[in-house]
Amino acid sequence: MKSSLWSLLYCASLLLSDVLGTYHLGAGDPQLIAAQSYAQTRNNGRPPLRTLNPSKTDSQCRSRPLDLVFIIDSSRSVRPGEFEKVKIFLADMVDTLDVGSDATRVAVVNYASTVKIEFLLKDHFNKPDMKKAISRIEPLAAGTMTGLAIKTAVNEAFTEQSGARPRSRKISKVAIIVTDGRPQDQVEEVSAAARASGIEIYAVGVDRADMRSLQLMASIPLDDHVFYVETYGVIEKLTSKFRETLCGLDPCAMGHDCEHICVNSNASYYCKCRNGYILNADKKTCSLKQVKVEVVEDPCKCEARLAFQKQTQAAIQQLTAKLADVSGRIERLENMVGRA
């Protein structure tokens, strides 16, 4: 009886852990301490239930344009099956985003004791190609040089030569770091420098991730930029969290005053007109383009017309004179007949 009771309690604890598998917690949260303690003793080596399908795309929303760089930990502590989960998470995120050369551009930085840029912001502008590139990523193993990975992303991935848009475009620059361990190098200064350069950093900790390091890396407010998941098996649940954060509302879909065409521009919109129309001063309504026709007289034609007019007038005058002569003769004849 006692053994049955303990089995029941154990199953209940497993069920509860799956329900509370995704955390979005601040520093010192008792739930976080308990979750980390439990995660360190739990076996995370369960095989993935999903496989990455590069050809399948399912856009969930219209994201604001971003220059987005994923920085993923593939050190020895990340088992092969768990790394596949990370790749599925990346693919799900790509499906969530509005990917394109004029929309969101994506790069991936892979790191362990060394750093490898898997692809740059300028390399792929459609989802199938991007997901194929993600499916080809292999873990690097060995150590966890998170600081070096962040520095490499800033110096090599977030540059205009690598496909980042210039500051004048006002495109948000975002880094999402995924790690399951404690960095073996310093992250505070390099993260501060990255944030100072205009990069917004999200830190995702898995399993044994060091919460203090996540907080040192992330942008503020920390409650919006630090995430924790118990296992790689539930990391896909974070996709919905990032969808809420990265996917802005479609201003045109929310309602607009454009007479013809509404065009999204970050969190706002502007109006355009169809071909053959021009935008009025109110920047909303359109008017038909007026084509100015400039008639250029041919000097030769003018001279010919004047000569014709003169000839016509002379002919009319001659006819008038003849008509007057004939009328006079008729009148004289009538007088002679009357006297006779």
Side-chain angles (χ1 to χ4, degrees):
M1 178 68 178
K2 185 179 292 185
S3 61
S4 299
L5 180 60
W6 279 110
S7 298
L8 182 61
L9 289 174
Y10 177 72
C11 292
S13 68
L14 289 179
L15 179 61
L16 181 61
S17 68
D18 285 336
V19 173
L20 301 177
T22 303
Y23 297 91
H24 184 191
L25 306 172
D29 194 307
Q31 286 182 307
L32 176 62
I33 297 173
Q36 287 180 311
S37 175
Y38 178 74
Q40 290 173 2
T41 60
R42 186 173 177 185
N43 178 17
N44 300 324
R46 292 176 292 181
L49 299 178
R50 288 181 55 197
T51 56
L52 178 56
N53 183 356
S55 63
K56 181 181 179 182
T57 61
D58 182 19
S59 183
Q60 298 294 326
C61 70
R62 179 183 294 276
S63 65
R64 55 192 169 100
L66 305 170
D67 285 337
L68 173 61
V69 176
F70 290 100
I71 304 174
I72 57 172
D73 177 1
S74 65
S75 57
R76 185 176 291 112
S77 60
V78 184
R79 300 185 179 102
E82 295 170 341
F83 193 68
E84 287 300 313
K85 288 288 187 181
V86 175
K87 290 160 64 174
I88 291 173
F89 166 67
L90 296 185
D92 287 346
M93 287 295 300
V94 167
D95 274 339
T96 291
L97 302 168
D98 185 18
V99 172
S101 60
D102 294 324
T104 292
R105 301 182 181 184
V106 178
V108 174
V109 174
N110 186 11
Y111 79 96
S113 58
T114 58
V115 179
K116 179 183 178 184
I117 298 180
E118 298 291 348
F119 57 86
L120 295 168
L121 295 169
K122 66 180 180 180
D123 288 343
H124 304 295
F125 295 137
N126 64 77
K127 295 182 182 183
D129 288 348
M130 196 173 291
K131 293 172 71 174
K132 286 179 183 177
I134 291 172
S135 70
R136 292 192 292 265
I137 298 175
E138 297 292 336
L140 300 175
T144 310
M145 303 296 286
T146 310
L148 178 62
I150 296 172
K151 185 175 182 180
T152 302
V154 173
N155 294 338
E156 299 182 31
F158 278 112
T159 64
E160 291 185 33
Q161 292 83 355
S162 297
R165 269 71 66 93
R167 287 180 179 272
S168 59
R169 296 281 303 276
K170 297 181 180 179
I171 302 295
S172 299
K173 290 175 171 43
V174 176
I176 298 179
I177 303 169
V178 181
T179 180
D180 75 338
R182 182 188 299 273
Q184 295 177 338
D185 57 356
Q186 296 298 317
V187 298
E188 184 174 7
E189 290 186 7
V190 69
S191 298
R195 295 193 301 269
S197 71
I199 299 172
E200 185 178 11
I201 300 178
Y202 292 87
V204 177
V206 184
D207 194 9
R208 296 168 294 275
D210 179 58
M211 181 56 62
R212 177 59 181 162
S213 297
L214 298 177
Q215 293 170 339
L216 290 175
M217 293 185 289
S219 299
I220 55 173
L222 295 178
D223 286 346
D224 294 334
H225 292 85
V226 177
F227 297 87
Y228 172 78
V229 290
E230 179 185 310
T231 72
Y232 281 103
V234 294
I235 193 172
E236 296 167 47
K237 294 182 180 180
L238 286 180
T239 305
S240 61
K241 293 283 187 182
F242 280 109
R243 182 182 299 127
E244 296 172 4
T245 302
L246 301 180
C247 296
L249 297 175
D250 185 341
C252 290
M254 296 297 292
H256 61 85
D257 298 325
C258 299
E259 183 178 2
H260 284 185
I261 303 170
C262 179
V263 181
N264 287 295
S265 177
N266 285 337
S268 185
Y269 69 88
Y270 62 91
C271 300
K272 289 179 64 177
C273 297
R274 293 190 292 269
N275 289 337
Y277 292 80
I278 58 173
L279 195 64
N280 294 327
D282 60 8
K283 303 298 181 182
K284 298 176 182 178
T285 60
C286 301
S287 296
L288 189 65
K289 282 184 180 178
Q290 293 188 1
V291 181
K292 293 183 178 180
V293 180
E294 185 175 353
V295 179
V296 179
E297 291 285 354
D298 185 345
C300 296
K301 288 184 178 179
C302 292
E303 292 180 1
R305 184 181 298 130
L306 289 173
F308 175 75
Q309 290 176 348
K310 289 180 179 179
Q311 291 175 358
T312 303
Q313 289 176 352
I316 292 173
Q317 289 175 353
Q318 290 177 359
L319 289 173
T320 302
K322 289 181 179 180
L323 181 61
D325 181 59
V326 170
S327 297
R329 290 181 181 182
I330 292 173
E331 186 177 352
R332 286 196 296 272
L333 287 172
E334 288 176 348
N335 291 334
M336 290 174 63
V337 171
R339 284 196 297 270

